[in-house]
Amino acid sequence: MSVRKSFIKAGRKTLVRNITQIFIILLAFLAIRVYLTQGTIQSGPAPDFGGQLLDGSSFQLQDFRGKPALVHFWATWCKPCIDELPFFEELNDSLGGKELEVLLVSLDFRDKLESQLMPFVAERRLESEVLLLDDPHENEWIPRVDSSWSGAIPATLILQGPKREFFDKTWRMPDIEKVR
């Protein structure tokens, strides 16, 4: 075989190998993207839990019955939670109260309500309803939110009629745009 033919044959093998590697990388990115943008979809009534709104009134999730709602679980000590709050505030500004109820469920401790949670909400001028979920029986209410949820935050539950969609992930603005 001539030197030229061996270079061409080696070049084809390299080209095929490179194309195969690129294809595998693209498939991996697609799989990751699908994983990150899909939630767990369940049917049935919304889980019932409640707590205290920052204005002191009590609230039960069943108060949203029949209304589309986005329920976001977060805490002031959770950096990914804090980073995504502006996205939920923007969603609340554009759709809140009219087409979608936005509820930010804080998992901060009750003894941090006045020293940490309320100042945090005031400093960031959060307009969404904020609920302090001070329930020591998380092993009871976490599976009612979603059977696949470990309890890790941030986490989001979207309610629309009998459909519930649960997302155990950190949100970015492009993800939030899909909710609109």
Side-chain angles (χ1 to χ4, degrees), residues 131-144:
L131 173 90
L132 175 62
L133 182 61
D134 181 35
D135 186 341
H137 305 290
E138 62 274 349
N139 289 335
E140 294 174 17
W141 60 262
I142 286 174
R144 288 194 313 241

Side-chain angles (χ1 to χ4, degrees), residues 5 50 60 75 78 80 101 118 126-127 146 154 177 179:
K5 285 184 180 181
Q60 290 297 123
C78 170
E101 297 290 339
M118 291 179 80
L126 298 181
E127 298 284 327
D146 189 85
E177 291 295 328
V179 173

Side-chain angles (χ1 to χ4, degrees), residues 64-90:
F64 283 155
R65 193 174 305 213
K67 297 179 187 174
L70 183 144
V71 181
H72 183 65
F73 298 89
W74 67 290
T76 58
W77 44 262
C78 170
K79 177 146 178 33
C81 301
I82 293 168
D83 291 344
E84 65 189 11
L85 282 176
F87 306 144
F88 291 108
E89 279 299 287
E90 187 174 319

Side-chain angles (χ1 to χ4, degrees), residues 19-32:
I19 289 173
T20 303
Q21 288 173 342
I22 290 170
F23 182 72
I24 291 170
I25 290 169
L26 287 173
L27 280 177
F29 277 118
L30 179 63
I32 290 169

Side-chain angles (χ1 to χ4, degrees), residues 88-89 92-93 102-104 121 125-130:
F88 291 108
E89 279 299 287
N92 185 57
D93 287 345
V102 177
L103 178 66
L104 303 176
V121 170
R125 296 186 176 117
L126 298 181
E127 298 284 327
S128 301
E129 288 284 1
V130 177

